Amino acid sequence: MLIAGNWKMNTDLPGGLALARALAAGVQEAGEEAFADVDLAVCPPYVHLAGIADVLADVPVAVGAQNVHAEEEGAYTGEISAAMLTSAGCTHVIVGHSERREAFGETDADVRAKIVQARSHGLVPILCVGETIEQRRAGNAAAVVRRQLDGALDGVDVDTADDLIVAYEPIWAIGTGETATPEQAQEMHALIRRDLTDRFGDPAADVEILYGGSMKRHNAAGLLRQPDVTGGLVGGASLTADHFLDIARHAAAQVPA
Ligand code: PGA
């Protein structure tokens, strides 16, 4: 189980540090046992990363970025490299979020290049896939997700389950308050699991497949109870430490004792 927060372009630096401190305090207060079987991560804006990695250094909350450039370094004004991320304390990076695909024109080929680059620096990519409402209504959701997986993972090696995380994020559920039903999520997660198994064999059985799209503390339990939903990529609700940790508690409750 993994609960990861995607802060998107929210919080200024003092606000982001305060949120990270609140998370650290919440994890410490809950005690070691509370989240022992759940991995936690936050993906703040770039500017916050190093400071937040410091704040979270002594608690089991990993730090990830929301994007990375596919090139090693050079004349790419405004871009951030994988080496910059690792040197700032990141272990994870979100790639191919639908907001980047839609608002910044990222293609499957771009996403694939970012995954390769992230992996070559030891960053675990959190690959986002998901369909629009029109694609779902037309009965094409499965085909869209398969195509996104194919475009992003073609030629990529996954030797252990820790090499990759996938997040299924139906676009119609992101930031809308409308959540996929647990059944809709499970159906797509099972499809993703089968696709990964065909591609990578045994390690795919333990690759985390997160659900994202208006996951909140009131609906997280039903989603996380599904066998192939092994965590969440949480946007809005990750901006409040208590809400985020409540979702993590629901994840912990699903892990067999
Ligand atoms: P949301 O965002 O939880 O606010 O819907 C999820 C995401 O986009 O990762």
Side-chain angles (χ1 to χ4, degrees), residues 14-140:
L17 292 171
L19 177 51
R21 278 190 214 102
L23 271 178
V27 169
Q28 267 157 351
E29 267 164 38
E32 258 176 46
E33 284 301 300
F35 304 115
D37 298 314
V38 180
D39 293 325
L40 300 175
V42 290
C43 302
Y46 287 137
V47 173
H48 304 17
L49 290 172
I52 286 182
D54 270 352
V55 170
L56 298 175
D58 297 327
V59 288
V61 181
V63 179
Q66 299 171 18
N67 185 25
V68 63
H69 197 269
E71 297 297 330
E72 192 60 30
E73 62 182 6
Y76 300 100
T77 302
E79 291 295 326
I80 300 289
S81 74
M84 293 174 194
L85 297 182
T86 55
S87 70
C90 285
T91 51
H92 293 69
V93 61
I94 297 172
V95 288
H97 192 281
S98 59
E99 288 154 14
R100 296 217 53 87
R101 293 178 192 256
E102 287 192 341
F104 301 97
E106 280 188 18
T107 64
D108 286 329
D110 296 329
V111 174
R112 182 185 175 284
K114 289 175 184 217
I115 289 176
V116 170
Q117 180 66 358
R119 289 283 311 285
S120 76
H121 283 264
L123 287 163
V124 183
I126 303 176
L127 163 63
C128 299
V129 295
E131 80 286 356
T132 64
I133 193 63
E134 293 78 18
Q135 290 164 334
R136 175 161 283 267
R137 287 197 185 123
N140 292 336

Side-chain angles (χ1 to χ4, degrees), residues 129-131 141-150 168 188 191-192:
V129 295
E131 80 286 356
V144 167
V145 167
R146 270 203 211 94
R147 198 165 62 232
Q148 289 171 335
L149 290 171
D150 210 41
Y168 169 55
M188 193 63 86
L191 176 153
I192 293 169

Side-chain angles (χ1 to χ4, degrees), residues 6 8 97 99 169 173-175 213-215 233-236:
N6 175 11
K8 309 193 180 183
H97 192 281
E99 288 154 14
E169 299 210 307
I174 295 176
S214 299
M215 183 182 269
L233 183 55
V234 183

